[in-house]
Amino acid sequence: MSGPRHYCGVVGINAGHNVVADLQKALMIIQNRGQDSAGVSVFDGVVINTVKDAGLVQVALPKERIENIEGKVGIGHVRYATTGGKGAQNAQPMTLTTAFGMMALAHNGDLTNYAKLKTEYMAQGAVFLTDSDTELIINLLSRHMGQDQDPIKAIKAVMAEVDGAYALALMINGRMFGIRDPLGIRPLVIGKLDDGYMICSESSAIYALGGEIVRDVAPGEIIEVTQTEIKSYAPCNRCAYAHCFFEWVYFARPDSIMDEREVYEVRKNIGKVLAREHPADVDLVMPIPDSGRAHAIGFSIASGIPYEEGFMKNRLAGRTFIMPDQATREKAVSDKMIPIRSAVNGKRILIIDDSIVRGTTLKKLVSMLRDAGAKEVHVRVGSPPIIAPCFYGIDMKNREQFIANKHTVEEIREIIGADSLGYISIEGVVEAIGKPASDLCLACVNAKYPTKIEGEEHRYQTKLTDIQ
Ligand code: AMP
């Protein structure tokens, strides 16, 4: 699949005050979901105005630019660029001017039938300016709106056509909608504010704005967010959940509650399960900051082994994961993490990371700990071996990337240079999340996909044929 991928965050607010600053604040809170571009669109009573750019929220949405726009209803987006590049041209919300007014759309997820639909619509004369599936959605919406200008009908018509993962914040002139794909693969939660309502990829932004969580948007549900209420339009009868388990393991903020399970709690549970499944005789448990921190706390609680911080992380360093080649990625890991020598020297250490993809991070960190004087370095991993690509919005696309496809656990242990290596089991991570396995998307660790994808095994069919 080509085109920009959407490992992103969305927000939408409809309230009794100018919401621009709140949108900006919410985007800063969910910046863990994307650091390459940011944008907001607000309706000022006549038109939708948008400010968006490349860079962190502070850079893309500086005070002097956002104070020029105003509106009581608006949406926002943070984007994690992978194949689509980091440029401003890929920043969202994406906007469109149509015969019935203006639309703005912010999207988290990936459509799995994007290429097929795009080809079909191009054959009918549709024109696309980007490689983005968000453009396809907004185009389809505009096309379906054209018929009788009923947004709910138009959204349902689009949902019946597209497959895959999507959590959307949509504005059609001054009306705002939240939409979650039929399996709820990507998260979307509703919050109540003093003078209105909001939706967001992560609940932590709701608390940051002084609000309260109302509930998650249900799989396949369309909601309209007004200042005084949330209107809900029929989730499909046959909807089943397939929450992405990796949101809890790695992607989301620890203080977020997703589909009623707090990320921090789940990560601590993962550590506890790891202590049971792969115990170790060591002096200290150490996290790989930041995402491995709660995992390590859980391991320490369950095992009684003291927890210590052994690495200082340089927060301003770039993302190592998407750097182009192995040497650059390895160098970037050592620029980002510095061992605390006094904590490490002469100790038998167990480190926990959330996942191993290529093995770059752990290989480098194990050797850095040894250089800093560690006597033994044991590794535990908070997700089962990653063996299959994600087609739903997490940047793990290529089977060739995954070290666990080419090597046994023992071989991986040797490659990363650890004294021992233990991955949590699939059953273990399901137990830690506390939802039935059938309600989770575990495709990257069991290669069984919750929607139909050509050439891949699928669990059940999810076409939204029963949404009117
Ligand atoms: P690797 O170094 O290739 O084994 O990648 C694993 C490391 O990257 C772990 O420390 C994770 O926290 C992080 N990670 C895992 N998946 C992703 C992803 N899709 N995007 C960015 N970072 C990731």
Side-chain angles (χ1 to χ4, degrees):
M1 243 184 283
S2 66
R5 306 268 70 92
H6 304 288
Y7 179 79
C8 305
V10 302
V11 60
I13 305 178
N14 196 347
H17 61 278
N18 179 12
V19 298
V20 175
D22 283 350
L23 287 170
Q24 187 213 35
K25 185 168 175 181
L27 292 177
M28 281 193 192
I29 300 289
I30 59 166
Q31 191 135 89
N32 55 303
R33 303 184 72 82
Q35 292 138 30
D36 296 315
S37 70
V40 294
S41 291
V42 287
F43 181 68
D44 67 3
V46 183
V47 291
I48 292 175
N49 292 302
T50 298
V51 174
K52 58 181 180 177
D53 214 332
L56 292 170
V57 175
Q58 300 88 312
V59 176
L61 306 175
K63 193 163 169 278
E64 56 284 8
R65 287 188 72 197
I66 60 167
E67 61 193 16
N68 294 326
I69 59 171
E70 198 175 326
K72 293 180 177 174
V73 52
I75 63 172
H77 187 265
V78 281
R79 175 163 186 272
Y80 169 13
T82 55
T83 50
K86 293 187 178 189
Q89 72 281 4
N90 288 313
Q92 294 192 26
M94 193 170 273
T95 55
L96 197 67
T97 304
T98 69
F100 52 85
M102 293 182 78
M103 296 204 292
L105 180 65
H107 173 203
N108 172 211
D110 269 347
L111 300 187
T112 50
N113 61 347
Y114 162 65
K116 181 170 163 278
L117 284 178
K118 184 174 173 180
T119 310
E120 280 168 22
Y121 279 101
M122 280 171 72
Q124 294 170 30
V127 176
F128 294 94
L129 300 176
T130 71
D131 278 342
S132 158
D133 51 359
T134 310
E135 185 185 17
L136 176 73
I137 299 175
I138 200 166
N139 259 294
L140 291 182
L141 277 167
S142 149
R143 188 177 269 256
H144 289 296
M145 273 291 281
Q147 286 155 16
D148 56 8
Q149 309 215 344
D150 175 347
I152 302 302
K153 260 196 185 166
I155 295 168
K156 285 181 176 174
V158 175
M159 290 173 82
E161 281 189 82
V162 300
D163 282 326
Y166 50 91
L168 305 175
L170 166 71
M171 255 200 315
I172 302 180
N173 296 312
R175 292 178 73 181
M176 193 177 87
F177 303 90
I179 302 146
R180 200 169 172 199
D181 66 69
L183 289 173
I185 296 174
R186 300 262 76 87
L188 194 62
V189 58
I190 305 169
K192 169 89 186 81
L193 302 173
D194 281 348
D195 58 351
Y197 282 91
M198 70 182 283
I199 48 172
C200 194
S201 300
E202 294 199 30
S203 65
S204 35
I206 297 172
Y207 289 139
L209 296 184
E212 287 297 325
I213 297 174
V214 177
R215 65 175 173 86
D216 294 277
V217 178
E221 188 181 20
I222 303 162
I223 57 160
E224 178 164 6
V225 182
T226 77
Q227 271 179 36
T228 52
E229 66 174 332
I230 295 288
K231 293 184 196 160
S232 168
Y233 296 90
C236 57
N237 307 326
R238 289 187 286 129
C239 282
Y241 279 94
H243 318 262
C244 164
F245 90 100
F246 209 59
E247 288 273 357
W248 282 286
V249 171
Y250 167 68
F251 195 25
R253 282 172 61 107
D255 53 340
S256 282
I257 300 171
M258 297 193 149
D259 291 307
E260 292 161 5
R261 302 289 290 126
E262 190 195 53
V263 174
Y264 182 74
E265 198 59 40
V266 169
R267 288 188 188 162
K268 260 185 11 189
N269 290 344
I270 287 174
K272 290 178 189 172
V273 174
L274 275 170
R276 188 183 76 215
E277 291 187 341
H278 300 287
D281 185 15
V282 292
D283 304 315
L284 297 173
V285 179
M286 279 181 180
I288 310 296
D290 291 307
S291 42
R293 203 166 262 140
H295 301 103
I297 291 172
F299 195 106
S300 167
I301 291 171
S303 63
I305 299 167
Y307 169 98
E308 282 235 29
E309 294 277 339
F311 285 105
M312 282 309 296
K313 181 175 176 180
N314 175 3
R315 278 161 212 289
L316 301 176
R319 196 192 296 270
T320 50
F321 190 81
I322 57 172
M323 293 186 170
D325 60 77
Q326 192 61 15
T328 321
R329 284 193 292 269
E330 280 186 30
K331 161 108 182 38
V333 172
S334 54
D335 288 349
K336 192 154 93 173
M337 298 282 192
I338 312 289
I340 302 171
R341 283 181 175 262
S342 66
V344 168
N345 194 18
K347 307 274 174 39
R348 295 173 305 160
I349 294 168
L350 182 138
I351 52 173
I352 308 199
D353 204 0
D354 53 83
S355 57
I356 300 182
V357 181
R358 302 182 189 92
T360 317
T361 309
L362 280 167
K363 184 173 172 212
K364 192 73 205 167
L365 294 182
V366 170
S367 88
M368 285 164 71
L369 285 176
R370 291 204 194 280
D371 290 348
K375 223 158 64 184
E376 292 175 21
V377 184
H378 301 259
V379 173
R380 300 293 178 266
V381 190
S383 73
I386 291 170
I387 52 162
C390 177
F391 298 104
Y392 305 122
I394 301 277
D395 178 29
M396 300 189 298
K397 298 289 167 214
N398 183 351
R399 277 192 162 81
E400 290 305 299
Q401 272 182 331
F402 308 137
I403 193 169
N405 267 338
K406 297 179 232 157
H407 298 283
T408 62
V409 174
E410 174 53 21
E411 285 167 354
I412 298 170
R413 181 200 66 72
E414 214 174 306
I415 292 167
I416 65 174
D419 291 286
S420 74
L421 169 65
Y423 285 92
I424 197 167
S425 64
I426 293 183
E427 300 71 34
V429 83
V430 169
E431 174 194 329
I433 292 170
K435 290 187 178 289
S438 55
D439 281 0
L440 297 170
C441 177
L442 294 156
C444 60
V445 295
N446 70 7
K448 292 182 184 140
Y449 291 84
T451 68
K452 255 192 180 162
I453 291 172
E454 221 177 288
E456 303 287 354
E457 184 178 343
H458 94 118
R459 277 178 5 198
Y460 40 78
Q461 174 64 339
T462 61
K463 195 84 182 140
L464 268 189
T465 41
D466 52 352
I467 285 201
Q468 301 307 315

